[in-house]
Amino acid sequence: DQPLDGVARYAAFLKWSEEGLLLEPFYHLNVWEMRFVLQGASPDSDYVWARENVPEEFQKPDRIGGAVFNMVTFTGGQPVKKRGLPYTLENIHLYGGVCGAFCTFGSHATTAFGVPATAVGQPGHC
């Protein structure tokens, strides 16, 4: 995996903001809050996929985080990694997972809409 280019990530979000693809809070974030949008490790294609696939009912600042419970199945194990598939939001949606998959999907789907979020791991709990 290549590290993400920070300037390219910024440029992508600038473009998406100019296209009106992000939710309203994005346009009022300060620098400290903005880092919780731009820091995600997903490729830009994951953010595009999320904006195209998250159900409209969740595309609101106060609901976006809940999309994960509608879109990811708790399956036990790590089905995406066991299949040798890329760890993308689409594959997490298709194959489910455990806590890490929920955390990744939820935080990255949220930031895809310009709402600050971050994944917090808890090793050894499941």
Side-chain angles (χ1 to χ4, degrees), residues 54-77:
V54 166
E56 191 172 335
E57 67 194 80
F58 293 103
Q59 294 185 21
K60 298 171 180 60
D62 62 340
R63 304 253 0 246
I64 187 63
V68 64
F69 302 108
N70 180 268
M71 298 183 71
V72 179
T73 303
F74 191 86
T75 58

Side-chain angles (χ1 to χ4, degrees), residues 54-113:
V54 166
E56 191 172 335
E57 67 194 80
F58 293 103
Q59 294 185 21
K60 298 171 180 60
D62 62 340
R63 304 253 0 246
I64 187 63
V68 64
F69 302 108
N70 180 268
M71 298 183 71
V72 179
T73 303
F74 191 86
T75 58
Q78 297 182 8
V80 173
K81 291 181 180 179
K82 286 180 183 174
R83 286 179 168 84
L85 298 171
Y87 201 64
T88 64
L89 297 185
E90 181 177 17
N91 284 338
I92 294 170
H93 168 68
L94 291 173
Y95 300 104
V98 291
C99 305
F102 274 76
C103 186
T104 297
F105 189 97
S107 63
H108 292 209
T110 299
T111 58
F113 287 88

Side-chain angles (χ1 to χ4, degrees), residues 8-66:
R9 174 55 51 88
Y10 168 79
F13 272 90
L14 178 62
K15 176 180 176 281
W16 297 330
S17 71
E18 291 171 346
E19 293 172 352
L21 298 175
L22 306 176
L23 295 175
E24 184 59 32
F26 178 81
Y27 303 97
H28 305 287
L29 298 176
N30 62 41
V31 173
W32 188 85
E33 296 164 328
M34 185 72 68
R35 73 187 179 127
F36 291 105
V37 173
L38 302 178
Q39 60 139 358
S42 286
D44 292 348
S45 57
D46 263 4
Y47 295 109
V48 172
W49 182 90
R51 287 193 304 274
E52 292 174 350
N53 290 279
V54 166
E56 191 172 335
E57 67 194 80
F58 293 103
Q59 294 185 21
K60 298 171 180 60
D62 62 340
R63 304 253 0 246
I64 187 63

